[in-house]
């Protein structure tokens, strides 16, 4: 039991340790929907990753227009491939008091004395939806777009909502296939509850970024959804049990329901061409809202050393079309461009991305040099105009090279040894080739090869077991022979005697009988009746010490007297003395 | 009887270990071929160097370093496929050699086809056994094998406490080593990798020249070799990329085909 506990401690301790030491703490805020009505209750979750405890509860900004109810706290620990992920989730339910668009967040939480901030999300609150005439039924689907008029490549959000008051499963969705229009799903589908036309519904919401690449009127055809509808009251206890995700697909015949096909109403979308007026010459089709950032690191170098210029273009829109910016030749430095990196970002409000471009600048002249600004044009659909992004102004200061300034360099190193690392130069790869051949004669031999070839392989594999089996067989054979049996009997005589003595207790006849049997086993005899004088003679014959033999004779006489008098020797020390003497006898005979 | 068993055991051990010494080959002429091939390589006579290393391999001196040198020689000769083939064979014998790892990686960078080698993760990769060669694995097993059965033998004659605990320990180590040996053995016999040797090989839908060309492979690409039919080999790159190629275009890494025995020996071709 102790071993098991120790093993658990050994396994669990490093896991706890890992969490404490390596956890990277972050806080995020999430709503279960992006749009709500005045009658809806929205679930808000503050997710803390990397810590299962916090010093304070989250303080959330932007909740003045909501009624807030606490939904509980839960902590979690996940172990995936040996790495531990832990965290704590705070749930809240918020109900809007008025309509409008509200920014919720950031949530501020204190962990280990450090204040952490979450992201901010926007919730749009509208009036409660009203049924447009006819009863909508227990299941229906609705599609909408965020804007009916867009420019080419401008994204609009296409939202599909499945409302259902009864259980549905086996959902399959097919989107309309339209030429020059593409759909990109934004995140995972969301599940929440809402009130529609005075009735409470479960809603499954899927959002897509819709991009049109050709101008004109586009008819967004119906999206079709097929599902299996569970009839209310028509299910058994087993349906619930077998509709569990564990059984899905394993017992298809057990679950029952009615198939249902639903379609959305078509939507008209007007796609405008991008205006020709004011179109910059370097416009590459980038549509959205973008910004540019740049950084020169370090901005102070010596000739021959390199500085890195990093330019990031990021924003919301068709970010995949962010072009690779051409960097002009510099009269004072060599320029080496790095492979650009692109990262896509998907939010509830659309897709975007960041393109990071890097150039290594290796100056050849001393002085202060302006880094030329890099420009990029894009069309902003919100302002209906073209804009040009310009990278921030950067200046590179170039000091004389290492050789010319060796004295100053050494002096500065003496003054501040911490600068030593920053002044070291990266080792530059000038050429590439394979490494040379191996010329040592030792390369001809293969260690342990001899063991794995021919009969040595089989001997290495089966030899030990064969030797063991031969040994086992030999010992068994020996034990079965006459001499072997006698030797085995003699060897086990003492054990047998001790065992029997423990059983007989103080009974004189049994004790005498046990000793007689011991002598028979020990010396391979078959004595029928044992007297004290017989025992003495026998022991002396087998070279037992005269003193020991005499003591044994006396003990036997004592036991014989008890036998003839009809007493037992339970209360006396006779039995113990006999055991001690037999132990001594064993040593002397050996 | 015991004496007989003891004598037999000691005798077997003496025969076993002394045979190591008796088996040690006379390296005289082979060392000379090796040095001459090295010299030819240094002098830029790569074809002669390649012939020398190949002769060593044909004579049974197929050591990792000979394969490595042969890989270098074919790289210099511009045969990227053969270079990768022999580097891979060297890796089976000297898996922890840094020079080999570098050269193999460098050679693979020159390959035109982008094939994800991680598409099939073998048990050897997971367990880290690819850093031990077969001989080393077998040696470790042999030591534990002898140790385990020695302890069992001791327990036949002496059933003491210490021998019991030693037996438990040796049984655990023996079981682990037996599993490791099995995994290594299985990984070795199921190694179906092959290298494309031709500059360009057409992969067809069937084993016939009339069959549709599915895709092309280029020299040095490592593929999985499923089976051979006549002069055609069925290759497998991924689930949806399989096809037949004429077997002269590829050679398996683990299965070595001996060259023509009638070819003149290297010693007669040396300059």
């Amino acid at each position: 039991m102790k071993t098991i506990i120790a093993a658990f401690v050994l396994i669990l301790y490093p896991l706890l340790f890992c969490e404490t030491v390596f956890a990277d703490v972050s806080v995020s805020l999430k709503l279960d929907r992006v749009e709500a009505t005045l009658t809806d209750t929205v679930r808000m979750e503050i997710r803390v990753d990397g810590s299962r405890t916090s010093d304070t509860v989250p303080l959330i900004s932007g909740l003045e227009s909501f009624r807030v109810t606490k939904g509980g706290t839960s902590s979690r620990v996940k172990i995936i491939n040996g790495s531990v992920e832990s965290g704590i989730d705070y749930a809240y339910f918020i109900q809007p008091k008025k309509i409008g668009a509200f920014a919720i967040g950031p949530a501020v939480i204190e962990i280990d004395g450090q204040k952490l901030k979450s992201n901010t999300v926007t919730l749009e609150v509208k009036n409660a939806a009203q049924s447009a005439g006819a009863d909508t039924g227990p299941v229906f689907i609705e599609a909408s777009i965020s804007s009916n008029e867009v420019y080419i490549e401008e994204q609009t959000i296409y939202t599909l909502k499945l409302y259902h008051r009864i259980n549905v499963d086996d959902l399959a969705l097919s989107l309309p296939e339209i030429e020059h229009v593409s759909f990109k799903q934004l995140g995972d589908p969301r599940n929440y509850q809402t009130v529609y036309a005075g009735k409470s519904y479960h809603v499954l919401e899927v959002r897509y970024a819709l991009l049109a690449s050709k101008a004109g009127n586009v008819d967004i055809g119906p999206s079709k959804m097929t599902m299996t509808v569970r009839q209310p009251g028509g299910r058994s206890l087993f349906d619930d049990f077998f509709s569990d995700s564990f059984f899905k697909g394993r017992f298809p015949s057990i679950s029952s329901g009615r198939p249902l096909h639903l379609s959305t109403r078509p939507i008209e979308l007007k796609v405008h061409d991008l205006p020709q007026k004011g179109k910059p010459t370097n416009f590459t089709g980038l549509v959205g809202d973008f910004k540019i950032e740049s950084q020169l690191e370090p901005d102070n170098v010596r000739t021959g050393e390199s500085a890195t210029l990093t330019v990031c273009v990021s924003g919301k829109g068709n970010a995949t079309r962010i072009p690779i910016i051409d960097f002009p030749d510099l009269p004072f430095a060599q320029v080496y461009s790095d492979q650009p990196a692109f990262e896509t970002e998907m939010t509830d409000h659309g897709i975007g991305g960041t393109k990071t471009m890097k150039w290594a600048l290796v100056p050849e002249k001393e002085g202060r040099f302006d880094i030329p600004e890099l420009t990029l044009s894009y069309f902003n659909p919100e302002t209906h105009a073209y804009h040009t992004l310009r990278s921030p102004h950067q200046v590179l200061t170039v000091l004389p090279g290492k050789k010319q300034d060796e004295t100053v360099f050494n002096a500065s190193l003496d003054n501040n040894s911490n600068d030593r690392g920053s002044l070291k130069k990266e080792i530059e790869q000038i050429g590439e080739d394979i490494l040379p051949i191996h010329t040592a004669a030792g390369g001809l031999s293969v260690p342990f090869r001899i063991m794995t070839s021919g009969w040595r392989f089989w001997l290495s594999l089966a030899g030990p077991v064969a030797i063991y089996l031969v040994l086992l067989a030999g010992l068994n054979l020996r034990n079965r022979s006459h001499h072997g049996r006698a030797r085995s009997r003699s060897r086990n005589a003492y054990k047998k005697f001790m065992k029997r003595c423990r059983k007989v207790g103080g009974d004189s006849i049994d004790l005498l009988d046990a000793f007689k049997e011991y002598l028979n086993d020990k010396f391979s005899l078959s004595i029928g009746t044992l007297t004290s004088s017989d025992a003495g003679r026998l022991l002396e014959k087998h070279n037992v010490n005269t003193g020991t033999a005499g003591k044994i004779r006396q003990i036997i006489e004592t036991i014989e007297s008890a036998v003839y008098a009809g007493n037992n020797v339970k209360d006396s020390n006779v039995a113990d003395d006999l055991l001690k003497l037999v132990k001594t006898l064993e040593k002397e005979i050996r | 009887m015991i004496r007989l068993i003891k004598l037999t055991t000691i005798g077997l051990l003496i025969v076993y270990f002394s045979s190591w010494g008796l088996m040690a080959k006379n390296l005289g002429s082979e060392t000379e071929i090796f040095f001459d091939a090295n010299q030819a390589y240094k002098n830029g006579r790569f074809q002669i160097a390649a012939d020398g290393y190949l002769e060593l391999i044909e004579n049974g001196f197929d050591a990792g370093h000979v394969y490595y040198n042969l890989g270098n020689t074919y790289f210099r000769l511009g045969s990227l496929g053969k270079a990768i083939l022999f580097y891979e064979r060297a890796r089976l014998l000297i898996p922890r050699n840094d020079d080999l790892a570098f050269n193999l990686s460098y050679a693979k960078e020159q390959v035109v086809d982008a094939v994800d080698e991680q598409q099939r993760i073998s048990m050897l990769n997971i367990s880290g056994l690819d850093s031990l060669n077969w001989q080393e694995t077998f040696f470790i097993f042999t030591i534990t094998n002898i140790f385990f059965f020695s302890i069992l033998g001791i327990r036949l004659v002496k059933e003491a406490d210490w021998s019991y605990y030693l037996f438990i320990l040796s049984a655990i180590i023996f079981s682990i080593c037996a599993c490791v040996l099995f995994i290594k053995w299985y990984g070795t016999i199921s190694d179906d990798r092959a290298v494309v040797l031709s500059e360009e090989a057409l992969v067809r839908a069937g084993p016939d020249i009339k069959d549709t060309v599915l895709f092309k492979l280029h020299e040095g690409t490592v593929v999985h070799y499923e089976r051979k039919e006549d002069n055609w080999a069925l290759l497998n790159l991924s689930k949806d990329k399989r096809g037949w190629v004429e077997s002269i275009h590829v050679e398996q890494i683990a299965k070595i085909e001996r060259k023509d025995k009638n070819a003149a020996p290297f010693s007669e071709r040396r300059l």
Side-chain angles (χ1 to χ4, degrees):
Chain A
M1 191 60 194
K2 279 181 183 172
T3 320
I4 294 166
I5 293 166
F8 267 105
V9 170
L10 279 172
I11 292 164
L12 290 176
Y13 181 75
L15 298 181
L16 296 170
F17 185 75
C18 283
E19 187 202 352
T20 328
V21 175
F22 300 112
D24 189 13
V25 185
S26 64
V27 183
S28 61
L29 190 152
K30 198 177 156 189
L31 300 179
D32 68 352
R33 68 198 82 179
V34 290
E35 286 174 5
T37 63
L38 285 171
T39 52
D40 285 348
T41 302
V42 180
R43 183 184 155 85
M44 178 173 68
E45 192 177 271
I46 314 291
R47 186 182 167 94
V48 179
D49 288 308
S51 174
R52 278 186 293 150
T53 54
S54 64
D55 303 341
T56 60
V57 290
L59 293 172
I60 309 152
S61 311
L63 291 178
E64 297 79 12
S65 307
F66 297 89
R67 277 182 284 277
V68 184
T69 315
K70 277 188 182 174
T73 309
S74 60
S75 65
R76 61 196 139 74
V77 179
K78 270 187 199 171
I79 303 167
I80 301 165
N81 295 331
S83 68
V84 183
E85 287 178 20
S86 64
I88 183 166
D89 299 331
Y90 296 91
Y92 299 88
F93 294 100
I94 58 170
Q95 197 175 8
K97 293 180 196 168
K98 54 187 177 184
I99 56 172
F102 302 97
I104 301 173
V108 180
I109 191 165
E110 201 170 314
I111 295 167
D112 295 334
Q114 196 186 352
K115 280 189 177 175
L116 297 167
K117 271 188 181 179
S118 74
N119 56 314
T120 303
V121 293
T122 306
L123 179 69
E124 200 170 331
V125 182
K126 296 174 177 173
N127 272 322
Q130 296 299 318
S131 174
D135 184 16
T136 48
V139 187
F140 66 95
I141 186 168
E142 198 180 75
S144 62
I145 54 171
S146 57
S147 171
N148 288 82
E149 285 192 33
V150 292
Y151 285 100
I152 285 177
E153 296 273 322
E154 179 192 351
Q155 56 180 310
T156 179
I157 308 300
Y158 180 78
T159 310
L160 273 174
K161 288 180 185 174
L162 172 72
Y163 291 79
H164 60 101
R165 291 207 309 270
I166 53 174
N167 284 344
V168 292
D169 56 18
D170 301 332
L171 296 166
L173 172 69
S174 70
L175 292 167
E177 284 182 15
I178 312 158
E179 210 177 351
H180 307 298
V181 173
S182 65
F183 292 86
K184 284 179 186 162
Q185 192 175 333
L186 301 171
D188 294 327
R190 291 163 179 268
N191 275 295
Y192 55 87
Q193 273 195 307
T194 191
V195 175
Y196 189 95
K199 289 174 184 167
S200 177
Y201 283 89
H202 290 282
V203 180
L204 176 74
E205 181 184 308
V206 200
R207 293 167 76 85
Y208 296 89
L210 190 151
L211 271 95
S213 57
K214 196 178 175 187
N217 288 327
V218 179
D219 188 17
I220 303 170
S223 292
K224 291 169 185 167
M225 195 177 261
T226 59
M227 66 203 79
T228 305
V229 176
R230 304 286 174 193
Q231 297 292 351
R235 307 183 62 189
S236 69
L237 179 70
F238 296 105
D239 285 352
D240 281 330
F241 180 72
F242 286 109
S243 65
D244 185 89
S245 60
F246 177 79
F247 292 104
K248 266 186 187 168
R250 290 177 172 84
F251 304 102
S253 59
I254 291 172
S255 58
S256 63
R258 176 171 62 85
L260 181 68
H261 302 270
L262 295 173
S263 301
T264 61
R265 284 179 187 163
I267 298 172
E268 276 188 16
L269 179 69
K270 196 169 184 182
V271 183
H272 298 285
D273 214 342
L274 294 174
Q276 290 301 316
K277 190 186 168 189
K279 190 185 242 182
T281 49
N282 63 345
F283 178 69
T284 55
L286 197 59
V287 178
D289 190 11
F290 295 89
K291 62 177 181 178
I292 192 166
E293 287 167 334
S294 75
Q295 193 188 15
L296 184 63
E297 181 67 30
D299 57 0
N300 202 323
V301 292
R302 292 173 184 278
T303 53
E305 293 178 354
S306 81
T308 304
L309 177 71
T310 307
V311 173
C312 290
V313 180
S314 60
K316 199 182 105 182
N318 58 347
T320 49
R321 296 190 68 155
I322 298 173
I324 298 169
I325 303 173
D326 288 330
F327 196 91
D329 288 336
L330 299 178
F332 61 90
Q334 290 287 331
V335 180
Y336 303 95
S337 61
D338 197 1
Q339 189 68 27
F342 181 74
E343 204 176 323
T344 306
E345 288 154 18
M346 289 212 182
T347 66
D348 291 321
H349 303 285
I351 52 173
T354 304
K355 184 167 252 177
T356 307
M357 291 157 271
K358 287 184 180 183
W359 294 270
L361 313 178
V362 183
E364 293 164 330
K365 293 176 186 170
E366 302 160 33
R368 270 175 65 83
F369 302 101
D370 289 329
I371 303 297
E373 66 178 18
L374 302 172
T375 59
L376 178 69
S377 297
Y378 70 97
F379 179 76
N380 190 334
E382 285 177 16
T383 59
H384 307 283
Y386 291 96
H387 299 271
T388 300
L389 296 171
R390 293 176 200 286
S391 63
H393 179 245
Q394 304 280 0
V395 176
L396 179 66
T397 307
V398 185
L399 301 171
K402 195 178 169 186
K403 279 181 186 170
Q404 292 169 28
D405 201 21
E406 201 164 2
T407 325
V408 181
F409 172 75
N410 288 335
S412 71
L413 281 184
D414 291 339
N415 291 339
N416 188 0
S417 59
N418 289 337
D419 290 345
R420 200 183 291 264
S422 62
L423 289 170
K424 281 188 177 174
K425 197 180 163 188
E426 284 271 320
I427 296 166
E428 202 178 322
Q429 183 91 31
I430 296 164
E432 276 191 330
D433 200 357
I434 55 168
L435 295 170
I437 55 168
H438 294 166
T439 52
L444 285 176
S445 65
V446 179
F448 317 120
R449 150 84 47 93
I450 209 147
M451 286 172 65
T452 54
S453 57
W455 61 271
R456 283 160 205 82
F457 171 78
W458 294 108
L459 189 61
S460 304
L461 203 67
V465 66
I467 291 170
Y468 170 74
L469 290 175
V470 168
L471 192 65
L472 188 68
L475 285 172
N476 278 338
L477 208 64
R478 194 188 65 170
N479 287 341
R480 281 181 198 173
S481 69
H482 175 71
H483 284 297
R485 274 201 303 274
R487 200 174 297 175
S488 170
R489 199 173 148 202
S490 170
R491 199 169 55 219
N492 294 326
Y494 178 66
K495 270 189 198 170
K496 201 170 158 188
F497 173 70
M498 292 294 284
K499 206 183 273 180
R500 192 158 171 198
C501 281
R502 273 187 220 115
K503 274 188 190 168
V504 299
D507 188 82
S508 313
I509 299 171
D510 282 348
L511 201 58
L512 193 64
D513 202 38
F515 186 67
K516 181 189 76 186
E517 199 178 331
Y518 167 74
L519 289 179
N520 279 341
D521 288 343
K522 195 73 199 170
F523 304 116
S524 300
L525 302 171
S526 50
I527 300 167
T529 313
L530 182 72
T531 61
S532 57
S533 54
D534 290 344
R537 272 200 301 278
L538 186 65
L539 293 173
E540 280 167 12
K541 190 181 160 190
H542 284 89
N543 302 325
V544 175
N545 187 290
T546 322
T548 312
K551 282 178 188 171
I552 287 176
R553 192 187 299 129
Q554 281 174 14
I555 293 259
I556 300 297
E557 275 172 11
T558 313
I559 298 169
E560 275 175 346
S561 307
V563 169
Y564 297 132
N567 299 329
N568 63 36
V569 289
K570 200 173 185 177
D571 299 329
S572 65
N573 291 329
V574 173
D576 289 342
D577 291 345
L578 182 64
L579 289 173
K580 281 177 194 166
L581 279 169
V582 171
K583 203 173 179 180
T584 315
L585 189 66
E586 275 288 309
K587 285 178 187 168
E588 287 179 11
I589 293 168
R590 196 180 294 165
Chain B
M1 187 64 190
I2 286 284
R3 191 173 295 166
L4 183 68
I5 291 167
K6 279 180 186 169
L7 285 173
T8 312
T9 309
I10 292 166
L12 276 172
L13 288 173
I14 289 169
V15 169
Y16 179 72
F17 287 110
S18 62
S19 68
W20 288 31
L22 292 171
M23 275 289 285
K25 291 190 178 180
N26 178 14
L27 292 173
S29 62
E30 275 69 27
T31 310
E32 205 179 322
I33 296 172
F34 184 64
F35 286 146
D36 285 348
N38 291 349
Q39 196 58 43
Y41 179 92
K42 281 182 183 172
N43 293 337
R45 297 199 295 269
F46 299 119
Q47 189 53 56
I48 292 167
D51 291 344
Y53 295 131
L54 282 172
E55 187 176 335
L56 281 173
I57 292 167
E58 284 296 317
N59 293 345
F61 289 90
D62 49 349
H65 297 280
V66 177
Y67 279 121
Y68 167 83
N69 287 0
L70 191 55
N72 268 18
T73 311
Y74 277 117
F75 188 87
R76 292 284 181 232
L77 283 168
S79 302
L80 186 63
K82 282 193 173 178
I84 290 175
L85 174 75
F86 288 109
Y87 283 145
E88 287 285 6
R89 283 181 183 168
R91 197 164 69 153
L92 297 176
L93 296 161
I94 45 171
R96 299 181 302 279
N97 190 284
D98 293 337
D99 288 3
L100 172 63
F102 179 85
N103 285 6
L104 179 59
S105 154
Y106 185 70
K108 281 187 174 176
E109 277 174 24
Q110 322 290 318
V111 177
V112 175
D113 297 325
V115 178
D116 183 11
E117 282 195 53
Q118 296 305 312
Q119 59 187 299
R120 281 193 189 181
I121 299 168
S122 72
M123 199 65 181
L124 295 180
N125 300 126
I126 297 166
S127 56
L129 284 177
D130 50 354
S131 59
L132 286 177
N133 67 27
W134 164 248
Q135 284 81 8
E136 288 162 343
T137 316
F138 190 75
F139 174 73
I140 293 167
F141 172 77
T142 304
I143 296 296
T144 53
N145 192 19
I146 292 169
F147 179 64
F148 175 66
F149 283 103
S150 302
I151 298 298
L152 272 186
I154 289 168
R155 279 191 61 75
L156 284 180
V157 289
K158 183 100 182 158
E159 287 194 352
D161 282 354
W162 64 266
S163 67
Y164 172 74
Y165 290 116
L166 214 54
F167 162 71
I168 297 290
L169 179 72
S170 63
I172 293 167
I173 296 171
F174 176 75
S175 308
I176 293 168
C177 288
C179 291
V180 164
L181 186 75
F182 176 77
I183 294 167
K184 187 74 189 176
W185 169 78
Y186 184 75
T188 306
I189 62 155
S190 60
D191 186 356
D192 61 350
R193 290 172 306 143
V195 181
V196 178
L197 301 181
S198 308
E199 211 165 296
E200 187 178 271
L202 301 178
V203 183
R204 295 175 186 275
D208 195 296
I209 200 83
K210 290 173 203 155
D211 279 310
T212 313
V213 175
L214 300 176
F215 53 93
K216 289 175 185 176
L217 288 174
H218 295 90
E219 191 176 15
T221 304
V222 178
V223 294
H224 292 282
Y225 190 104
E226 283 196 18
R227 65 174 190 272
K228 192 178 173 183
E229 272 182 28
D230 299 327
N231 289 324
W232 290 83
L234 176 60
L235 305 182
N236 177 344
L237 278 85
S238 62
K239 269 184 189 172
D240 53 349
K241 271 208 165 45
R242 291 169 79 231
W244 295 84
V245 71
E246 282 179 275
S247 55
I248 49 161
H249 295 304
V250 288
E251 191 165 335
Q252 282 182 275
I253 292 167
K255 192 180 173 188
I256 299 169
E257 287 172 13
R258 298 288 175 191
K259 70 168 187 182
D260 182 12
K261 288 280 178 190
N262 297 323
F266 174 70
S267 48
E268 290 173 20
R269 284 175 278 151
R270 262 178 285 160
L271 294 180

